[in-house]
Amino acid sequence: TKMASEMEELAQLKGKLWYHIEMILQDIESQDKNVKITHSKKYINALMEVVLVRLQDLTSDLEQFSEHDTGRSVKQIQLEDLKLYLRNSPHLRDVILPGRK
């Protein structure tokens, strides 16, 4: 069913987020031996949930941006929508859209 498929996709996304967050924490620790990061599974899980909520907010906002422009023939998210969303986050914009201002 559609609901089971969505739940499966969400579980996969959470698993991927968990993995990447753990890799980022390990990478930070390996880059600077003076930094000792200790993190529990609860910490990674909480951080993963925060990231997931932000991704859901991003998705919702981008969908609303794409629907707002009534001059478009096709209602889909465009690069300009993402640029608009990231306008107040220059560092994140540079990471997601390198070389584009």
Side-chain angles (χ1 to χ4, degrees):
T1 67
K2 183 179 178 183
M3 186 174 216
S5 175
E6 288 175 358
M7 290 177 67
E8 174 69 22
E9 287 177 8
L10 181 61
Q12 288 178 1
L13 177 59
K14 284 183 174 186
K16 289 175 183 180
L17 284 173
W18 177 287
Y19 171 79
H20 287 287
I21 289 170
E22 190 168 35
M23 293 298 104
I24 289 168
L25 292 172
Q26 289 176 7
D27 189 45
I28 291 169
E29 189 174 277
S30 69
Q31 287 180 11
D32 187 349
K33 298 299 178 187
N34 295 325
V35 174
K36 181 66 180 161
I37 299 176
T38 56
H39 52 277
S40 67
K41 290 181 179 182
K42 285 183 180 182
Y43 175 79
I44 294 174
N45 192 56
L47 193 52
M48 182 266 310
E49 290 292 340
V50 168
V51 170
L52 183 63
V53 168
R54 290 296 297 141
L55 285 173
Q56 290 169 332
D57 288 345
L58 169 73
T59 302
S60 175
D61 288 347
L62 288 175
E63 286 173 346
Q64 290 177 15
F65 288 166
S66 73
E67 293 172 4
H68 179 72
D69 185 358
T70 57
R72 294 184 188 174
S73 59
V74 177
K75 302 293 184 196
Q76 63 185 26
I77 297 169
Q78 302 288 324
L79 183 59
E80 295 303 316
D81 299 318
L82 184 57
K83 286 180 184 178
L84 178 62
Y85 183 82
L86 297 173
R87 70 189 179 282
N88 293 323
S89 303
H91 178 70
L92 184 57
R93 183 192 61 226
D94 293 344
V95 170
I96 294 174
L97 303 169
R100 298 183 183 194
K101 298 289 178 186

